[in-house]
Amino acid sequence: MAQVVTTNPVFPIADQPVTITVDVSGTSLSGYSWNGTTSPVWIWTWVSEGCASSCDAPTNVDPATSPAQDAAKCVRISTNPDKYQITFTPTVFFNKPASELKKIGIKLKTKNWTDNKQTDNDRIIVLNTGSLLVNFTSPSQSLIFKNQGDQINITANASSVSDMTLKIDGNIVSTVTGATSLNYVHTVTESSGSSDVVIEANNGSEIKQASFTYVVRSPTESLPRPSGVVDGINYDESHPTKVTLSLYAPYKSSVYVIGDFNSWTPQSAFQMKKDADHYWLEINGLTAGQEYAFQYLVDESIKVGDPYADKILDPSNDSYISASVYPDLKTYPTSASEIVTVLQTAQPQYSWQVNNFVKPSKRDLTIYELLIRDFDTERSYQNVIDKLDYLQELGINGIELMPIMEFSGNDSWGYNPIYYFAPDKAYGPKNKLKELIDKAHQKGIAVLLDMVLNQADYECPLVKMYWNGDKPAANSPWFNQQATHPFSVFFDFNHESQNTKDFVDRVTEYWIKEFRFDGFRFDLSKGFTQKYNTDVGLWSAYDASRIAILKRMANKIWSHTPDAYVILEHFADNTEEKELSDNGMMLWGNMNYSFSQTSIGASSGSDLSWSSFKSRGWSDSNLVTYMESHDEERVMYRNNQNGNSSSGYNIKNLHTGLDRVKATSTFLFLIPGPKMVWQFGELGYDVSINEGGRVGAKPVKWEYYDDTYRYALYQHFADVISLRKTYSIFKADDITFTDGGSLVKQFTLKNSPYTDTPQSTDEMNAQVAGNFNVTSKSVSINFSHTGTWYDYFLDGKPVIVNTIPYTMNLSAGEYKLFTDYPIKTPVTTVEESVVNEIKVYPNPVESILEVERENGPITALYLYTTQGMKVIPPRLSKSAWDVGNVAQGLYIAEVHSKEKTYRIKVIKK
């Protein structure tokens, strides 16, 4: 109820100066200073109503970026450091005519993003456009609480000379004629209940009203909660017209429920009863299946939604959610303010099709990290459903959704959560999310949720209920006043508090049981500590208390879902990570820098051996290795910007850069253990992480899929992912690296029990080698034994290894997979010049290879030579390729179409 806004004049005119005064008491700006000194704040303001159709709505004036920075700077009043003033003429400030300015919205904010303090709520100032306006300047809030016998000083104003009538609960208590203000002192005589105060002004041509409500305080009744009631919204299937609400609120003295069912006013019948530290209320007479918006009014001043609600309504953001993404979204109530939550008895239930999903083993997981906002243009759960075939064909068996629980705003990475049980409406209804998970399960794909339990944003009711100016209050049941570590962006959970433990367990069980998520990736799990240290290095050191916190959480999850995935973004001391792995948790293995250095042809920092759990001394294959995630620069972007070159070989060239990603992905996927791909890495996405701001929306590039060379990278990913899922050798524990940071890299995989004469693929051994220099190199390959090996990427061509190491020449960027038992490539291999729908015509004069397909165009041709794969540029049309610069002989040509890849033998005449 703080953040009082007054204007002079009372009714501002668009083309005349107005002085706005804001009292920031009770907000994060209270007592604000920057680096220990008092500092100004800026007004963030927008056209709330009246702007022509060519204007954005809202039309923000951002003091951090606007040329009008100085004009937006507020002045602190010396006699009251929590009051700020600013004077401007709206038409000048917005550079818009008065006809387009009817209402303006305001907030006060700091200019510095890292400080990030602001007033709590949007406030609207109505501009005088000539029509009659009326308001109260005393009291300054629309809702006040009083005791019996208290006096209320009432001042009402009209924008033009009017007859003014003041009514309390419909009874006239004061009138004036031919005036622009009315003053009255009212004495509260009621012992309980609420009263409506209305001012009516009549200037002879118009009649307008304004109102406020006062509530007479009543003591809170103490009464035990009904059996089985838990905090949150409790439905009773046998009584669909009833709901029981419960709120945990220690140290609070009163809580009212306000909502659609009581005109959003505190009423005695809706004052919650108290059971120890829990407030509860049974509400009857609801219509089954109807949605009701509601809030809790705590201690007469704090409005919050239910922390356990599965749906919220947001007055600042819901209007920007399209009906195609969220059909029939409930309209935000006109009588409400701030975020509200929704209850609905007899809700439509989702009909699950898969009730016995078998999760892929942890070792076999190939996870696709996905941000719905940047995955397709509509930004919806349906977009992901529509692309499940694409992911399945890629070989993905796990999707990791970046945070989808309600976060601040509609446009975010999601690491600013506010309501932990509500899927964000910006992506669609909750049953559409269930459909996504269900259909993924039908395709054998597990779905994991990126879970943010290190921090919460201000609008989280658990934060907002216990607030002290600019940080959580000291008596917060859930949050530290100051983060215990150096990377907290919002407000830091205290994971040693029993209240936080209980909340964490409710959250994790809910998403598994209600939505059937298969597990979680826990963001910034290294922050789950009460061992205070803001030194990055010391914070990363072994922390037994943090280990205990994480083990407790994981064991609780496994108590109800034994096969749930628990993945940590941890990056702590290796001894700590090993202990967590030994307990069954998986951990992110960030190899972005090493793979990026390898790909651009820079030896420094390019050692890939840390990609293996064995190299880290771990006992179990619980390392989720990746070369890209949402937090890192793209490998292909690094190729474009920093790639090396030599003698015509240039990594900055698109085709060469994509081939380098093929090479690095071969190493990534064939090193045993779970893996992760960041969305569109399989298409060589090469937009910088910093485009549009680090966390800003990135361009959607589905046209990459129609590009011949990028599509070939997608197929290569699918190929090597298929290998690791199909053959046991790529799950082997016996791995030896020969690397040491050089750009000639190799590793050896030995099956167990080892044999150098395998009789099946189950006994097969493998050797992977690559030359990541920009020039050809003579490479000594450390095969595990002599004899016959098969070159997988040359269609299984036999290689006779007589000595070890075996020396062979690898051209720049060339990579090899050898197996000692022949395995087939995932495409058809035949000897004839005609296969299925493909016809090949070697031209003996022009050395042109023509390829025809009856049912569609050919998109690409790759020629496999003794030096590796060669991309053949098209000539004349997409079905003709120039092979004139290749020596005469017999080759394997790979023909790509959109539906299938064919391998055929081609004789060049």
Side-chain angles (χ1 to χ4, degrees), residues 112-189:
N112 192 303
W113 165 252
T114 58
D115 207 17
N116 193 28
K117 299 181 187 299
Q118 61 183 26
T119 49
D120 299 340
N121 307 309
D122 298 347
R123 293 301 170 101
I124 303 300
I125 297 174
V126 180
L127 299 180
N128 188 349
T129 57
S131 297
L132 178 62
L133 299 173
V134 62
N135 69 7
F136 288 101
T137 52
S138 178
S140 56
Q141 291 92 26
S142 60
L143 174 66
I144 60 174
F145 284 80
K146 293 292 180 180
N147 297 311
Q148 186 179 25
D150 285 352
Q151 290 186 330
I152 305 174
N153 294 316
I154 300 173
T155 299
N157 306 277
S159 61
S160 62
V161 173
S162 304
D163 294 339
M164 302 178 70
T165 303
L166 183 69
K167 299 179 182 178
I168 298 179
D169 288 335
N171 299 312
I172 298 174
V173 296
S174 180
T175 61
V176 294
T177 59
T180 57
S181 65
L182 178 151
N183 296 287
Y184 178 75
V185 178
H186 175 68
T187 300
V188 176
T189 59

Side-chain angles (χ1 to χ4, degrees), residues 207-506:
I207 299 175
K208 292 291 180 67
Q209 291 183 342
S211 66
F212 72 88
T213 300
Y214 69 84
V215 180
V216 182
R217 293 185 178 94
S218 301
T220 298
E221 179 184 0
S222 293
L223 194 68
R225 288 189 298 177
S227 176
V229 169
V230 297
D231 289 323
I233 305 170
N234 296 260
Y235 298 108
D236 185 342
E237 292 183 2
S238 61
H239 296 88
T241 61
K242 181 183 78 171
V243 70
T244 303
L245 304 177
S246 180
L247 179 70
Y248 181 68
Y251 318 119
K252 302 301 182 183
S253 59
S254 74
V255 181
Y256 290 84
V257 180
I258 56 176
D260 291 339
F261 32 70
N262 60 12
S263 302
W264 294 92
T265 57
Q267 299 174 10
S268 299
F270 289 88
Q271 185 171 9
M272 302 183 82
K273 300 168 178 59
K274 187 176 183 181
D275 179 4
D277 290 329
H278 301 271
Y279 289 81
W280 68 276
L281 181 70
E282 183 179 291
I283 300 175
N284 291 282
L286 302 174
T287 301
Q290 179 175 325
E291 289 188 315
Y292 294 88
F294 73 101
Q295 285 173 322
Y296 299 117
L297 180 61
V298 181
D299 277 359
E300 305 174 357
S301 59
I302 307 168
K303 291 181 180 179
V304 295
D306 191 296
Y308 298 91
D310 63 7
K311 184 174 181 178
I312 73 169
L313 301 178
D314 185 338
S316 300
N317 296 291
D318 286 0
S319 61
Y320 304 107
I321 299 174
S322 71
S324 62
V325 171
Y326 200 115
D328 303 318
L329 176 60
K330 178 178 171 62
T331 302
Y332 185 85
T334 56
S335 300
S337 63
E338 307 179 41
I339 291 174
V340 302
T341 43
V342 175
L343 63 84
Q344 181 186 22
T345 64
Q347 295 183 29
Q349 298 299 304
Y350 179 77
S351 179
W352 292 94
Q353 302 303 302
V354 178
N355 295 298
N356 55 352
F357 179 65
V358 178
K359 299 178 179 67
S361 70
K362 291 191 291 186
R363 185 174 291 227
D364 286 341
L365 264 180
T366 305
I367 301 168
Y368 194 88
E369 189 188 16
L370 190 153
L371 173 58
I372 294 175
R373 182 197 69 182
D374 293 346
F375 191 61
D376 213 336
T377 53
E378 194 179 58
R379 304 180 172 190
S380 68
Y381 300 125
Q382 184 62 51
N383 284 158
V384 184
I385 293 172
D386 294 340
K387 294 295 191 298
L388 285 176
D389 285 345
Y390 169 91
L391 296 175
Q392 184 183 38
E393 290 168 8
L394 183 60
I396 294 301
N397 60 10
I399 297 172
E400 180 184 297
L401 296 179
M402 284 177 65
I404 52 82
M405 66 281 294
E406 280 284 358
F407 45 76
S408 299
N410 293 336
D411 188 339
S412 172
W413 274 6
Y415 296 106
N416 51 340
I418 52 177
Y419 282 83
Y420 279 84
F421 294 79
D424 201 294
K425 304 186 307 302
Y427 298 146
K430 66 179 182 181
N431 279 353
K432 185 59 71 172
L433 174 59
K434 292 180 179 181
E435 181 185 347
L436 163 59
I437 296 168
D438 200 17
K439 288 189 173 178
H441 286 171
Q442 292 175 41
K443 295 181 178 296
I445 300 174
V447 186
L448 298 90
L449 177 58
D450 197 340
M451 178 61 69
V452 188
L453 283 168
N454 175 74
Q455 63 193 23
D457 205 349
Y458 171 75
E459 289 293 345
C460 174
L462 306 185
V463 175
K464 203 170 182 180
M465 277 198 295
Y466 297 86
W467 190 249
N468 182 17
D470 62 350
K471 58 182 178 292
N475 65 350
S476 170
W478 299 280
F479 291 91
N480 295 312
Q481 281 199 292
Q482 182 178 3
T484 60
H485 58 89
F487 282 98
S488 180
V489 180
F490 299 103
F491 305 104
D492 187 55
F493 275 103
N494 174 1
H495 281 278
E496 289 184 355
S497 162
Q498 187 60 47
N499 294 298
T500 298
K501 294 176 184 178
D502 294 342
F503 183 73
V504 165
D505 295 342
R506 280 279 300 268

